[in-house]
Amino acid sequence: MTAAPSPARTPRPDIRPVAGSLGAEILGIDLARPLDAGTVAAIRAALLEHLVVFFRDQKLTPPQQLAFARAFGEPAEYPQLKGLPECPLITPVVKLEHERVNFGGVWHSDTTYLERPPMGSMLYAIEIPPCGGDTLFANQYLAYETLSEGLKRTLDGLVGVNTSTKAAASKTREDRMRAAGEELKVLVGEHPVVRTHPETGRKALFVNVGHTERFQGWSEAESRPLLEYLFAHQVLPEFTCRFRWAQGSLAFWDNRCTQHNPVNDYHGYRRVMHRVTLMGDVPR
Ligand code: SIN
């Protein structure tokens, strides 16, 4: 009989910020092993402080990635695409050599058209192009905090209407959905434009160009100028970091206070990632 692997113990994880606004690499943890409570708490604290955390040189089977995700929340199925046949809670995020469009290739928070958008997602790199295919992340606390007091007061009372059908995002899923024979599900989520993070209590801007169509009670034409201002403001370079993937890298982002955008600059090469999404709460 083989003994079960003992929990990986990391008294003080080595956490190294990668940019001024968000993002940190966590070194020295083997995510394939069960993690002890102290390590899980340290990773969660790093996520809340840095908004997105990165791990390198991991070797994870789909069940191991899922076990790691379960230490932080309840994995949820992606609503638009089936997951891996052997592990349906893992969504393959793929761009093939002959394809031109990359999945999710626009600034967005994940599936904000759901009533309960995810608290976070974990993306694990299986196959990476020789260069390109980085992912950008943006800090939405800073996006809110740097607005004028007047605009903050206006936004504090507004609700955003988020849809799964907005072309900015839906066209980035077309190749994958066609390949899988899936139909786009029409989903609409109405959420405060400024949400309060349930764990940190900080306010974050919660609109995104991928899914937010208009303000509740406003027409699309009336909403457009203010939304366009916010879409440009919320991804200013000084709010962002950029992650260079390698095979075995894993990124874990807090979807409640960040946005991300995978850069589509690697035509002719294959990029294969495995994503797990964790259930979130109703934004308030
Ligand atoms: C996604 O939105 O989950 C895709 C991110 C990426 O491919 O880097």
Side-chain angles (χ1 to χ4, degrees), residues 40-262:
V40 172
I43 295 172
R44 182 175 277 279
L47 178 73
L48 294 178
E49 183 177 349
H50 299 284
L51 287 53
V52 53
V53 290
F54 307 109
F55 302 85
R56 292 205 179 269
D57 303 321
Q58 302 295 323
K59 284 199 174 57
L60 295 175
T61 62
Q64 285 169 330
Q65 185 181 352
L66 210 49
F68 173 62
R70 284 201 165 105
F72 297 91
E74 190 186 337
E77 273 189 49
Y78 179 66
Q80 305 292 357
L81 268 180
K82 285 205 172 55
L84 296 177
E86 70 280 17
C87 209
L89 290 169
I90 294 199
T91 307
V93 171
V94 177
K95 183 181 167 213
L96 300 175
E97 291 85 336
H98 63 277
E99 292 177 340
R100 308 300 282 182
V101 174
N102 65 337
F103 180 94
V106 60
W107 277 109
H108 66 285
S109 309
D110 288 328
T111 54
T112 58
Y113 47 77
L114 296 177
E115 188 195 353
R116 293 172 60 188
M119 68 76 74
S121 295
M122 294 176 175
L123 195 66
Y124 174 59
I126 305 285
E127 198 175 334
I128 290 298
C131 67
D134 298 356
T135 303
L136 310 173
F137 294 87
N139 178 333
Q140 298 307 294
Y141 294 134
L142 278 182
Y144 175 72
E145 288 160 8
T146 50
L147 297 171
S148 68
E149 291 308 312
L151 185 49
K152 282 182 190 161
R153 272 194 299 278
T154 300
L155 296 181
D156 275 339
L158 292 179
V159 170
V161 179
N162 297 268
T163 75
S164 60
T165 51
K166 210 179 160 197
S170 63
K171 69 176 176 358
T172 75
R173 297 187 296 253
E174 276 170 3
D175 282 345
R176 294 276 61 76
M177 296 187 64
R178 196 177 310 113
E182 307 252 13
E183 294 280 322
L184 179 69
K185 293 182 190 68
V186 180
L187 298 164
V188 178
E190 305 201 346
H191 303 302
V193 165
V194 179
R195 75 179 291 185
T196 302
H197 193 291
E199 291 181 80
T200 65
R202 292 176 70 184
K203 286 183 172 186
L205 198 52
F206 200 61
V207 292
N208 68 93
V209 71
H211 303 310
T212 313
E213 194 169 70
R214 61 185 174 84
F215 300 113
Q216 188 188 63
W218 298 30
S219 70
E220 277 185 51
E222 289 167 339
S223 306
R224 194 169 303 124
L226 181 49
L227 279 178
E228 278 179 3
Y229 174 79
L230 296 174
F231 295 155
H233 168 80
Q234 67 190 162
V235 297
L236 287 174
E238 58 269 35
F239 305 152
T240 69
C241 71
R242 179 173 187 131
F243 186 59
R244 171 81 196 116
W245 296 93
Q247 190 183 353
S249 305
L250 183 140
F252 177 14
W253 61 85
D254 188 331
N255 199 53
R256 302 164 293 189
C257 54
T258 63
Q259 291 196 29
H260 55 281
N261 183 3

